[in-house]
Structure formats: structure tokens, C-alpha cells
Amino acid sequence: MSYWSAVYFLMVTMSTVGYGDITCETSIGRVFQLMFLGVGLALFASVLPEILELIGAQSKWAGTYHGAKGKRHIVVCGHITYESVLHFLKDFLHEDREDVDVEVVFLHRSEPDLEFEGLLKRQHTRVKYFQGSLMNAMDLERAKVHDADACLVLANKYCPDPDAEDAANIMRVISMKNYCEESRIIIQLMQYHNKAYLLNIPSWDWKQGDDVICLAELKLGFIAQSCLAPGFSTMMANLFAMRSFITSPDMAAWQNDYLQGTGCEMYTETLSPSFSGMTFSQASELCFVKLKLLLLAIEVKPIDGGDTKISINPQSSKMPANTVGFFIAQSAEEVKRAWFYCKACHEDVKDENLIKKCKCKHLANKTGATPATPFSAALSKPLLNIKNSVMAKEENGSKPVMNGRPTNKPADQQKNGKMEVGIADDQAKDFDFAKTEMKYDSTGMFHWTPARSIEDCILDRNQAAMTVLNGHVVVCLFADPDSPLIGLRNLVMPLRASNFHYHELKHVVIVGAVDYLRREWKTLQNLPKISVLNGSPLSRADLRAVNVNLCDMCVILSAKVPSNDDPTLADKEAILASLNIKAMTFGDIITNIESMGDSKDALNNMGDTTVKRPGPIYGTNVPMITELVNDSNVQFLDQDDDDDPDTELYLTQPFACGTAFAVSVLDSLMSTTYFNQNALTLIRSLITGGATPELEIILAEGAGLRGGYSTPDTLSHRDRCRVGQISLSDGPLATFGEGRKYQDLFVASLRNYGMLCIGLYRLRDAALTTVDATSKRYVITNPPFDFGLLPTDQVYVLLPFERKQSRFSFSETEV
């Protein structure tokens, strides 16, 4: 027998197959065969568990990403759970984004659970999942981070320790930047002050697309905008999120109007050469009337060749060729009309759907303009434009009106002698607007005051009751002494933007535990007109002391850490406070106010910058916005609504009315920022009232705002567009509330006053002619051109700082 025949015989015998083609002829051979078979089987049985263990240890999530050639992919990491991934993919892969050919690669330490695995299987053609750590270079190599179009780091919004969560995510960024410096990183952070640590990473460069989405900064910025224009946060949250709407005749009329607005998003598109040489107002009117598009802003390239800037509703400047515009529309397909529009071919076209690419050479002959690339034009690019509210003066020498309340002019105040002030108005005492120069921070973007001790701003209940507060902002804050800081500076700074005059600033009264506020005070001490009441937001006596019924907005916040036992109870204090205020009545206080003086002048002199007027008798009419941690708890805010507990937040009545806000609505910003690098810059600068990279560096030092001299350069920074909410019940636009169409209002406002209308705030019960205890308003984003107007409507407008309508008075709210 040959050697290989012997090997063949032993292998067949060992495997117990035994073909029988070779057999043992002798007794010794047969004994050896039996011994070999027994020993071989024993050895095989002993190593079999190890073999099975090695096979089982090879996870199906331990592979390597192999993308198709030429196909882009992004890497998503951080807080990866079924819920966070579901919300992210719902927005990122939305149908309105058309043909977004980008694969999503998730990298996480743990294996997905069964529910998560089911989601991955449903999206297997566009989503991949790998198990690994971002701190391991081999795992980064497996996910092909160096080839990724971007790396997105998600934060756990419900974590018990926000600073620890931010530190972990910043370490992930350091690891990815250490592996590949050119990687574009978009990270979510919980706390504003942790943004400073990203600046310490040498390869972190916002000019290359690196961005940070600070949830506390943007959440409180949205709420601040609601203090200036109620409901505006709902409008903007709907605009930068990808949503589809389906109206139904079975729904109430107000729901159909609201849903139509939720289908609008923000997009970018290059304007055709036909727009070259037009002013922004002319281009915006043409887009709305002819193309049925709402043009909000344009990209402006500085003459000195600096970084491109975004200008909202600019005045008097001519637009160059290839200007990129920012639009509100229902889909990216509609926005393409702005590029296809040709004056020679489409000037007489009445149907906007017929405005398509024409065959004439008009486009090609002008400056060689080319359409925007799919990444900057055809793709959906939700953006955001959020700014501050507006106040204007009245015609014929009557008193200015702010939030529906007339105010004293400086001249009137001087005639009256010493200005009437309250105890809490720390800067208005002996302040002469005509002789004293207002002070701003070193960037010129915010009002500034020398640092004050918190002791100078604390009021007890008796002092607060004696202080004349009206047209102010009440912040009801629930916090334990050791609660994580929420960054109240991000709420107050937008209310202190320099494009407000000092006397237009709303006084901010914080009702809460002083022990917690002492820790926050370092960031608030340089912002004017802030008072603190050491009390409880659940105490009706404290709420009456701060005149909650006369405030322009009551904000309910909580800094407490959600309990792991029952997360649904995280909002219990906020909900109780909201219901407590709604159950209050203020009839006795109204009587006391009216008894103090019979004349209107007696009321005029009671406040600092606004006239005290009788507020609502019922707490249900107190303007209010409540921050929620858990979306499902929105069902408890309004007892008279019929929202199903499983209804998405944006479809609920409190959110549609602008009285509820949750941090979850900011999830869409990750996709928004990825598809448009300008988006987050626009959002941050306008939501925050004008934050700039220079200001970020100053605040990173930890010493707070620095004061600066009012030079022509810093004063020029005040020239920023703001948001106003104008009533159609009075003022120069009152005639449009008498059954006119929205297009008439849009054109007249733009031509005569330079105002850009972007939406309506309408009473839910359209039959009401006056505001009563049950009246609620809802947001209508970018109404159709033929939408009928009502006298009770309020209009959201974008107003330039130097406005044409300064001789008129626009009230911001009635409720």
C-alpha cells in the first residue's frame, strides 16, 4: 500500500464513512484500526466545543463595509438605539429628498436588539450596521471612516449626566480626527459650555464642514423666539423637518390648514440669470406671484473675497448672477422653477407648473451660468431662519406700541419728570435715553451691562408684588441645587440682541430656587433686565407676585434629571405648573389695577417701557410655552383636545398652537446640517440672536460676555433682520383682514414696508371675532396665494432693521 493510500484509508476510517474499497487483511491491522478509531473519536469530541465556540464567536455584525464604487456613505455613531435610529432614518431617507444616493453605516459597541435588527432588515439596501468601538482604529477602518462623506455623532438627550455624555462624544470626535484629520464631523452636544472643548482639537475646522449641534442652545433659542413671536418655534421646527401631509375633509378646517404648512420645507436653488440686477424685494415678489415660491434669503459674497454670508430679506442691494436663494416650498421639484424661469419665455405664463426648462439660449448667453449641482440645488436642503421680534412706532405722534401695549416715548418720559420704574428694573433708574449711550458686548451683537451680583437681582414675594411688571417674560424653573446646568444664558441672550433698542427689551423674571440659579448666574450677570424670585413655580402667590397674567410669555422649564424608574414622569412638574396657571383667575387683580387710576395716563405711567393694561381674567389665556422631555406627555397639557396618545408630537394640538416644545424636534437638524453646510450657521446666528465664531471664542474663555465701545463697526452689526407678528385687527394692514387674499397682503407689505410675510397665526375657532378664555391660535406656514384673511389673524413677517414702516404701529400679540 502506498503512503497516500494509507492516508486515504485512515481519513475514511476516522470519519466513520468506511467505503470498504481498502480493508485490513491481518489481525494486527484490524486491532490498530479499532484503536485508531477510538482515540480519534475521543480527540475529536474533546476539541469540538472549542471549534463551535470559535465559529459562534464570529458575529454577523463584525464584517467590513464594502461600498459600491462611486457611492457615498456616512458613518453614524454615539447613542445608537432603535428609537434614535428610527427618527434619524425617517428624516434622512425621506421621500422628499428625491434620489439621495447615500448609504448609512452605523457603528456601535453593542449588538442590535430584535426590534432594531428588524428595522435594519427593512432598510438593508441603504443601511449597514457594524459592531465596534470608535476608539479602536481597526473598527474605524472596518467602517471606512476615512472614505466617509461625513461622520455623525448622536447624543443621548435623556441621559442623567449631560456633561459625561458630552465628554464621551467629544472623545469619539478626537479618535476619528486622530484617525483621519480630513473627516467631516457633525456632533450633537447637550451643554453649551462643552462646545469650547471642540475648539481645542487641532483638526477641528468649521470651514471644512465640521459642525456642532448644541441641543441646549437651540432648544432654549427656539423657546426665546416664542417669547417674541408666539408660535414661531412651531413654524420653524416644521420647516427644517421633512414631513408629508395628507389633508382630509373629515378633519377640522384648522387641522387641514396646519397640515398643509407642515409639508413645507426650506430648500436652496440657484436663481436664473433673469433675476440678475433685481433687488431682493423684486425677486421675492416675482417668486411668490409668478413661481408660487417664497424666497427668504440669499447668499452674499463679500467684495473683499471673504466667506460667503447669508442675508435675510436684504434691502436695496442688487443681486448678481448665480445668486443662491433660500426658499420655502412643498418639494425640491417646485424650487427648480427659480432656475428654469426665463423672462423671455415665461413672462406671460400664468400656470406656474408650465415653467420648465426652455429651449431658448437666453440662459446660456448670460454669464455662462450653470445650474446648481445636485448636492447644492436639487437635493432637499431644509434650512431655518429664526430671529427676533419687532416693535415699530405709531403714526401721527401717538405712543409706540409693543405687544399691543402703547409705550412712552423718551420725550414723554422727560416731560413726566423722573422715569417711572420698578424695583426690579436695575438699569432703567435715572436712565436718560436721549443722553446716555447704550452699551453692547465687544462683538456688538448683544446688549451688555457691568457684572451684577445675584443678590442685587433677587426679589422676595413682597418686593415682586410692588414691582411694576408688564409685557415681561416669566421663566418658571424647576431645579434641585445639584441639577445639571441647562444654560439659561441661551434663553436670555436672544432676548438681548442688539437689534432691539434698550427700551424694547423684555424684562425677564425667573421664578425658582436661588441655590441653583447661583450656579447659572456667572453666565447671566452681564445681561440687563433680569430679576430672580426665590420661590416655587407651583405657588400661585409667587405667580401673582410676578404678574404672570400681564406677561408676554410664561416659559416652563425643568433642569431635573429624569428618573430611570419611570421616564414618563420626567415632565410631572412642568405639566402641573401649566395646569396650575390655566386654572387661575385674575379678576381681583384687575379690579385693583383699575382702581388705581381712572385715566389712561395713570396706567401709562405705571410701567417701565410698556403701559400696564388689564390682562386676561382666566389663566387659560396666559401666553405659555412648556418644555417637555417625553413627547407622549403632550396629551396632558390640554384637557380639551382629543389627541391620541400615540400621535406624533408635531400633529398634536399644543404643538400646532405653539404652546409645547420638545427637544426631539431638533433631531432633524443632523440631516439638515449634512445636506447643507450653511443650514446650521443660519440657524445658530438667528436663533441665538446673532452668535458668531468670534463670540464663541470669547465665551470659551469662561469669563462671560465682554463689554465693548459703540464704534461704527459694532453699531453696524445691529442691522439684522428680525421677526415680527403683526395683527390685522388694527394698524396700516387692517384693511387686509376684511376678506382680502394672502397674496394682496404679501405684495403690499413687501412694496410699502419692506416686510416679508411668511405665515399666519390664526384663531382655531375662525368664527370668533374677539379673544375669549377658550380661544387658541394655530400656525399656518406659507399659506397659498389665494388664502382668505380674517381680521383676527396675526402675520409672521421678516422685518429689516431700518424699516420703511417706522411711522406705523404693529401690535405683536393680543393674547
Side-chain angles (χ1 to χ4, degrees):
M1 182 187 296
S2 67
Y3 172 78
W4 293 111
S5 296
V7 171
Y8 167 74
F9 169 72
L10 292 176
M11 291 298 296
V12 170
T13 301
M14 176 64 188
S15 63
T16 70
V17 174
Y19 288 118
D21 53 342
I22 300 178
T23 59
C24 293
E25 300 294 336
T26 66
S27 298
I28 296 176
R30 289 171 182 168
V31 171
F32 172 79
Q33 184 180 10
L34 291 174
M35 293 178 60
F36 174 78
L37 188 59
V39 173
L41 288 174
L43 290 175
F44 179 75
S46 66
V47 300
L48 182 61
E50 295 184 22
I51 295 174
L52 294 176
E53 184 178 353
L54 289 174
I55 295 175
Q58 185 66 28
S59 171
K60 62 180 177 180
W61 313 109
T64 300
Y65 174 72
H66 299 287
K69 186 176 181 181
K71 191 168 187 176
R72 294 175 295 152
H73 78 283
I74 64 170
V75 177
V76 183
C77 52
H79 181 63
I80 305 298
T81 64
Y82 171 75
E83 290 78 12
S84 65
V85 169
L86 180 65
H87 291 132
F88 173 79
L89 292 179
K90 186 176 181 180
D91 189 80
F92 190 87
L93 302 177
H94 196 276
E95 58 185 3
D96 280 359
R97 295 196 189 278
E98 298 185 324
D99 53 343
V100 180
D101 193 18
V102 182
E103 279 194 321
V104 182
V105 177
F106 291 99
L107 182 62
H108 192 57
R109 290 187 305 169
S110 306
E111 291 187 359
D113 56 26
L114 291 177
E115 190 176 28
F116 193 176
E117 190 172 345
L119 173 63
L120 295 174
K121 288 180 179 179
R122 293 193 298 272
Q123 299 284 353
H124 71 280
T125 58
R126 295 188 285 183
V127 175
K128 308 296 180 185
Y129 187 97
F130 298 102
Q131 186 178 4
S133 170
L134 267 79
M135 308 305 293
N136 189 326
M138 294 182 63
D139 291 335
L140 296 176
E141 175 69 27
R142 289 169 47 222
K144 296 292 186 290
V145 168
H146 56 283
D147 293 330
D149 206 33
C151 299
L152 279 59
V153 184
L154 304 180
N156 180 7
K157 299 184 291 295
Y158 313 110
C159 61
D161 189 347
D163 286 312
E165 176 73 10
D166 286 349
N169 285 333
I170 291 173
M171 283 302 301
R172 294 182 176 108
V173 173
I174 294 174
S175 175
M176 287 187 286
K177 284 291 188 180
N178 188 57
Y179 172 75
C180 180
E181 292 185 357
E182 293 77 21
S183 295
R184 180 190 176 197
I185 310 292
I186 304 174
I187 178 177
Q188 280 184 340
L189 288 182
M190 298 293 296
Q191 302 284 51
Y192 180 79
H193 58 264
N194 290 325
K195 291 173 65 175
Y197 300 116
L198 291 171
L199 301 178
N200 298 332
I201 303 175
S203 53
W204 180 268
D205 187 2
W206 62 271
K207 294 182 179 179
Q208 299 300 320
D210 293 335
D211 263 319
V212 53
I213 298 173
C214 179
L215 298 177
E217 174 189 24
L218 296 174
K219 173 187 69 178
L220 294 176
F222 270 78
I223 293 174
Q225 298 305 321
S226 287
C227 297
L228 300 169
F232 195 68
S233 59
T234 293
M235 175 186 291
M236 291 296 106
N238 286 335
L239 282 177
F240 67 71
M242 283 291 177
R243 294 181 177 131
S244 299
F245 74 97
I246 301 176
T247 58
S248 169
D250 298 330
M251 292 183 179
W254 76 267
Q255 289 177 312
N256 284 327
D257 293 340
Y258 170 72
L259 284 176
Q260 185 173 13
T262 63
C264 293
E265 293 90 28
M266 290 197 181
Y267 303 92
T268 60
E269 178 63 88
T270 303
L271 295 170
S272 75
S274 296
F275 290 91
S276 182
M278 290 186 183
T279 64
F280 178 85
S281 295
Q282 292 170 337
S284 184
E285 181 179 337
L286 174 62
C287 286
F288 189 81
V289 175
K290 191 80 170 178
L291 310 181
K292 301 301 183 285
L293 301 173
L294 178 54
L295 177 63
L296 289 180
I298 56 174
E299 282 187 359
V300 177
K301 297 179 180 179
I303 301 177
D304 58 5
D307 297 326
T308 300
K309 297 181 180 179
I310 300 171
S311 184
I312 301 120
N313 191 17
Q315 302 296 301
S316 68
S317 57
K318 304 281 185 174
M319 291 195 296
N322 295 332
T323 297
V324 175
F326 299 87
F327 297 87
I328 292 180
Q330 293 284 347
S331 68
E333 191 66 30
E334 291 182 3
V335 180
K336 291 179 182 177
R337 299 172 194 155
W339 170 249
F340 293 147
Y341 177 73
C342 172
K343 184 176 181 180
C345 301
H346 300 136
E347 189 170 17
D348 297 327
V349 175
K350 302 298 182 183
D351 186 356
E352 67 276 5
N353 295 315
L354 299 178
I355 299 179
K356 301 182 182 297
K357 189 174 182 179
C358 60
K359 297 181 180 180
C360 72
K361 298 180 180 180
H362 211 58
L363 294 178
N365 291 338
K366 283 204 174 189
T367 68
T370 57
T373 62
F375 194 60
S376 64
L379 288 183
S380 309
K381 291 187 177 178
L383 293 179
L384 185 65
N385 292 290
I386 295 193
K387 289 155 287 279
N388 303 316
S389 189
V390 61
M391 187 204 106
K393 298 178 182 177
E394 250 189 3
E395 190 179 17
N396 299 327
S398 58
K399 299 183 184 302
V401 172
M402 183 178 184
N403 289 357
R405 303 179 178 92
T407 68
N408 285 334
K409 295 180 181 178
D412 296 333
Q413 294 166 339
Q414 292 175 9
K415 290 177 183 177
N416 295 336
K418 185 177 178 179
M419 289 184 57
E420 297 290 339
V421 298
I423 295 175
D425 197 345
D426 48 286
Q427 283 210 347
K429 296 178 181 178
D430 301 321
F431 193 94
D432 191 330
F433 289 101
K435 299 179 181 179
T436 307
E437 185 177 296
M438 289 183 290
K439 296 180 180 179
Y440 306 96
D441 74 309
S442 56
T443 66
M445 305 298 283
F446 297 95
H447 286 273
W448 179 89
T449 186
R452 298 155 298 147
S453 167
I454 190 174
E455 307 299 334
D456 297 334
C457 301
I458 293 178
L459 306 173
D460 59 29
R461 190 181 296 168
N462 292 331
Q463 289 175 315
M466 291 187 296
T467 303
V468 177
L469 292 170
N470 187 33
H472 55 302
V473 174
V474 176
V475 180
C476 297
L477 178 62
F478 292 94
D480 296 323
D482 58 346
S483 295
L485 300 180
I486 61 173
L488 282 176
R489 168 174 58 191
N490 300 307
L491 174 66
V492 180
M493 282 182 67
L495 305 176
R496 300 294 174 262
S498 60
N499 54 355
F500 287 99
H501 295 288
Y502 182 85
H503 64 276
E504 294 175 313
L505 301 181
K506 299 180 187 294
H507 201 107
V508 176
V509 183
I510 305 173
V511 181
V514 169
D515 291 339
Y516 171 83
L517 290 170
R518 291 185 196 278
R519 298 166 53 213
E520 289 265 13
W521 191 251
K522 183 175 69 173
T523 62
L524 299 174
Q525 60 186 0
N526 293 112
L527 297 171
K529 292 191 178 182
I530 301 178
S531 298
V532 175
L533 176 64
N534 187 16
S536 169
L538 290 173
S539 168
R540 292 193 177 187
D542 290 339
L543 294 173
R544 292 188 190 277
V546 298
N547 288 357
V548 70
N549 62 312
L550 298 177
C551 70
D552 276 354
M553 182 60 66
C554 178
V555 179
I556 302 177
L557 304 174
S558 177
K560 294 186 177 181
V561 176
S563 172
N564 292 328
D565 299 334
D566 191 353
T568 58
L569 294 179
D571 300 310
K572 57 183 181 296
E573 290 95 350
I575 293 172
L576 290 175
S578 174
L579 297 179
N580 181 48
I581 294 174
K582 290 178 181 179
M584 294 175 67
T585 56
F586 304 95
D588 55 335
I589 296 183
I590 300 298
T591 302
N592 292 337
I593 291 177
E594 291 176 345
S595 65
M596 295 177 67
D598 296 329
S599 68
K600 184 177 179 181
D601 290 337
L603 291 176
N604 288 343
N605 294 328
M606 290 177 64
D608 171 23
T609 61
T610 56
V611 168
K612 193 156 190 176
R613 62 166 190 174
I617 298 177
Y618 302 103
T620 50
N621 257 10
V622 173
M624 192 185 319
I625 183 167
T626 306
E627 181 219 354
L628 297 176
V629 174
N630 195 313
D631 290 4
S632 62
N633 287 333
V634 72
Q635 61 180 310
F636 304 117
L637 287 179
D638 270 336
Q639 302 300 304
D640 61 340
D641 65 5
D642 53 357
D643 292 326
D644 187 270
D646 296 327
T647 303
E648 289 188 72
L649 177 67
Y650 83 97
L651 294 173
T652 62
Q653 181 175 287
F655 187 79
C657 296
T659 58
F661 190 83
V663 70
S664 63
V665 304
L666 300 178
D667 289 341
S668 301
L669 278 178
M670 292 295 280
S671 303
T672 300
T673 305
Y674 167 70
F675 285 111
N676 193 316
Q677 297 185 18
N678 289 326
L680 193 59
T681 303
L682 182 65
I683 293 168
R684 188 184 299 119
S685 62
L686 299 177
I687 281 288
T688 60
T692 61
E694 178 189 0
L695 183 66
E696 299 279 347
I697 296 174
I698 293 173
L699 296 179
E701 295 291 328
L705 290 174
R706 293 202 303 252
Y709 293 104
S710 297
T711 64
D713 182 50
T714 57
L715 289 177
S716 66
H717 293 163
R718 302 179 63 204
D719 190 5
R720 313 194 299 276
C721 195
R722 15 177 174 171
V723 167
Q725 196 177 68
I726 300 171
S727 175
L728 295 184
S729 62
D730 54 17
L733 300 182
T735 56
F736 293 94
E738 304 296 334
R740 301 281 292 277
K741 300 300 182 184
Y742 182 73
Q743 179 173 291
D744 300 332
L745 172 66
F746 184 93
V747 173
S749 299
L750 196 59
R751 288 181 180 178
N752 300 330
Y753 312 116
M755 301 185 305
L756 190 62
C757 300
I758 58 176
L760 297 176
Y761 199 40
R762 170 166 288 188
L763 287 174
R764 189 184 62 179
D765 187 352
L768 290 176
T769 56
T770 59
V771 177
D772 61 20
T774 60
S775 61
K776 294 179 181 178
R777 294 184 181 271
Y778 64 97
V779 175
I780 306 175
T781 306
N782 189 26
F785 72 99
D786 57 350
F787 193 79
L789 300 175
L790 298 175
T792 54
D793 286 344
Q794 294 174 4
V795 188
Y796 294 106
V797 294
L798 297 179
L799 232 82
F801 180 67
E802 296 295 339
R803 47 196 181 274
K804 301 176 184 178
Q805 79 287 5
S806 59
R807 65 185 184 277
F808 295 115
S809 168
F810 300 133
S811 60
E812 293 178 354
T813 66
E814 290 182 351
V815 180

